Amino acid sequence: MDPQEALAILERERARGFDLVVRAETPEAIRDAEIAVLGRKAPYSEVQRSLGSFGEEDRKAVGRVANEVRGALEAAIEARRAEMAAAEEARLLEADRVDVTLPGRRLRPGSLHPVTIVERQVVEIFTRMGYRVAEGPEIEDDWYNYASLNFPPDHPARSMHDTLYVDVPAHPGLLLRTHTSPVQIRTMQAQEPPLYVVIPGRCYRHEEVDPTHLAVFHQVEGLAIDEGLSFSDLKGTLEAFARAMFGPGQQVRLNPTYFPFVEPGAEVEVSCFKCGGEGCRVCGNGWIEILGAGMVHPVVLEAGGYDPERYTGFAFGLGTDRVAMLRYGIPDLRMLQDGDVRFLEAFAGAI
Ligand code: DAH
């Protein structure tokens, strides 16, 4: 080829190259266009190879045009590639688009079980008075659950509790605690007096389950031991508790009764928090029994390692499920344990 022919080829290839690049729609098509106009077998490369056969002037002139064409084509290819990458990115973003104006999905918060609500309230009222919280094991032995609490062997109170025994051959005599009172002993053993504690927890009895009895139930035990505590401290404490729990107008009534671990012992009634004491379907006569209480028996102080000559104290035990039942008008205690979500949802936000 001669120089004129070479220049003509270069101009044709420039135009053809632009056209191929502009029409390329995929990265593969760009690659093909690049090979077609600048590859080893392209007319452009033939021009390059023939430069050596031209005279010096022509070689320079044609060589300059060849470089210019190559530069222009490479720039066009590069620009088309960048354009394609940007389009691909825009496509991916579009595919990921989120409509922020759509309504959100509502999270359904859980709520506290009514027994938990009551338990927390009781504990909070006493911790505000300066009590601390103690806990103990649900599996106990006869000594903690009964003997240390002054239940004599073969005393009918033991069978009244309908004990569930735990069958562990290596540890005969284990049982599921029938009340939270054994934690009185454990707390005394672990701490020096003065002692002011509340003990929330789960208890077990071999009960025939019915609307007012559960085999697994809850108590909050209280224990105060100090020098010079008297029965009037007990009554004042229970009155303060009842007013904080059920309202400022609350009256408290104590009737003598027997618990082996207290002397004297009392069952404690509060004026009905539904009718205010006039008598209604919940209370009958205007009073509701919610706990047992009394002055800690000297035998119990001794079992806990305290000197009964120096210390006196009072104790009480409250039926948490029963208070929840009365407070929320729950007709059947078993509803507390059925796990029916519709029942539990009724307590969302309850206080
Ligand atoms: N432990 C008793 C029960 O389960 C309740 C009780 C009564 C606890 C009198 C006390 C108390 O601390 O003083 O029936």
Side-chain angles (χ1 to χ4, degrees):
M1 91 177 55
D2 62 31
Q4 288 312 313
E5 221 178 320
L7 286 171
I9 291 174
L10 287 174
E11 286 317 317
R12 224 189 311 120
E13 286 301 293
R14 185 203 308 256
R16 188 175 75 96
F18 281 158
D19 192 49
L20 284 177
V21 169
V22 164
R23 279 192 287 154
E25 293 293 350
T26 63
E28 295 73 38
I30 294 239
R31 182 88 200 113
D32 290 347
E34 190 175 24
I35 291 167
V37 291
L38 296 173
R40 259 186 319 113
K41 293 181 186 155
Y44 175 88
S45 300
E46 274 174 46
V47 171
Q48 288 256 291
R49 281 192 292 272
S50 34
L51 285 178
S53 64
F54 300 162
E56 190 180 338
E57 286 293 299
D58 288 334
R59 194 169 65 232
K60 275 191 185 160
V62 176
R64 195 168 54 239
V65 174
N67 283 340
E68 197 189 295
V69 167
R70 167 179 282 275
L73 287 173
E74 280 175 350
I77 289 166
E78 200 39 57
R80 188 77 184 110
R81 281 209 171 107
E83 211 174 279
M84 241 174 239
E88 174 65 4
E89 187 167 332
R91 194 188 63 74
L92 288 176
L93 281 176
E94 182 59 31
D96 266 357
R97 179 190 287 281
V98 174
D99 183 352
V100 294
T101 66
L102 283 177
R105 242 167 268 155
R106 210 173 141 68
L107 286 181
R108 301 211 309 164
S111 58
L112 294 178
H113 190 280
V115 170
T116 308
I117 297 173
V118 168
E119 182 178 283
R120 289 194 182 180
Q121 283 172 345
V122 173
V123 167
E124 202 204 312
I125 290 166
F126 281 100
T127 51
R128 261 190 273 143
M129 291 192 225
Y131 285 59
R132 290 170 180 270
V133 180
E135 283 182 313
E138 293 178 17
I139 297 181
E140 282 289 10
D141 60 20
D142 185 276
W143 191 79
Y144 279 106
N145 198 75
Y146 290 124
S148 67
L149 291 166
N150 198 34
F151 285 78
D154 304 319
H155 190 279
R158 291 190 184 214
S159 54
M160 272 166 57
H161 274 210
D162 293 312
T163 315
L164 287 161
Y165 289 91
V166 182
D167 189 10
V168 181
H171 299 276
L174 291 183
L175 49 82
L176 295 177
R177 69 180 180 195
T178 59
H179 50 176
T180 43
S181 303
V183 192
Q184 289 190 23
I185 305 290
R186 292 188 175 276
T187 313
M188 285 190 268
Q189 287 176 331
Q191 295 174 44
E192 294 293 321
L195 190 66
Y196 292 84
V197 288
V198 275
I199 303 152
R202 191 154 34 192
C203 309
Y204 303 82
R205 286 186 200 179
H206 188 217
E207 292 279 0
E208 197 68 63
V209 172
D210 68 24
T212 55
H213 295 88
L214 295 172
V216 181
F217 58 99
H218 301 81
Q219 292 186 340
V220 180
E221 189 87 11
L223 179 65
I225 298 176
D226 209 333
E227 289 182 53
L229 283 184
S230 70
F231 199 86
S232 54
D233 294 310
L234 169 59
K235 183 158 191 202
T237 301
L238 293 178
E239 270 170 4
F241 163 70
R243 287 174 189 152
M245 185 83 191
F246 304 116
Q250 270 300 319
Q251 297 300 309
V252 170
R253 195 162 81 167
L254 295 108
N255 302 309
T257 191
Y258 175 74
F259 298 106
F261 38 92
V262 283
E263 179 58 36
E267 57 184 34
V268 182
E269 294 174 311
V270 295
S271 45
C272 177
F273 34 84
K274 275 276 179 290
C275 67
E278 286 174 9
C280 69
R281 210 167 39 82
V282 173
C283 62
N285 65 355
W287 294 93
I288 295 183
E289 186 192 331
I290 57 160
L291 47 81
M295 300 307 292
V296 180
H297 198 290
V299 164
V300 174
L301 290 170
E302 245 162 48
Y306 286 11
D307 178 1
E309 298 295 329
R310 183 164 168 203
Y311 295 103
T312 55
F314 58 80
F316 54 87
L318 167 141
T320 318
D321 312 82
R322 195 174 146 70
V323 171
M325 173 186 194
L326 295 166
R327 166 161 225 168
Y328 296 118
I330 298 165
D332 187 328
L333 277 183
R334 290 173 293 190
M335 296 172 89
L336 293 172
Q337 293 177 357
D338 285 345
D340 186 326
V341 157
R342 290 164 302 178
F343 170 77
L344 296 172
E345 277 171 350
F347 296 92
I351 50 155

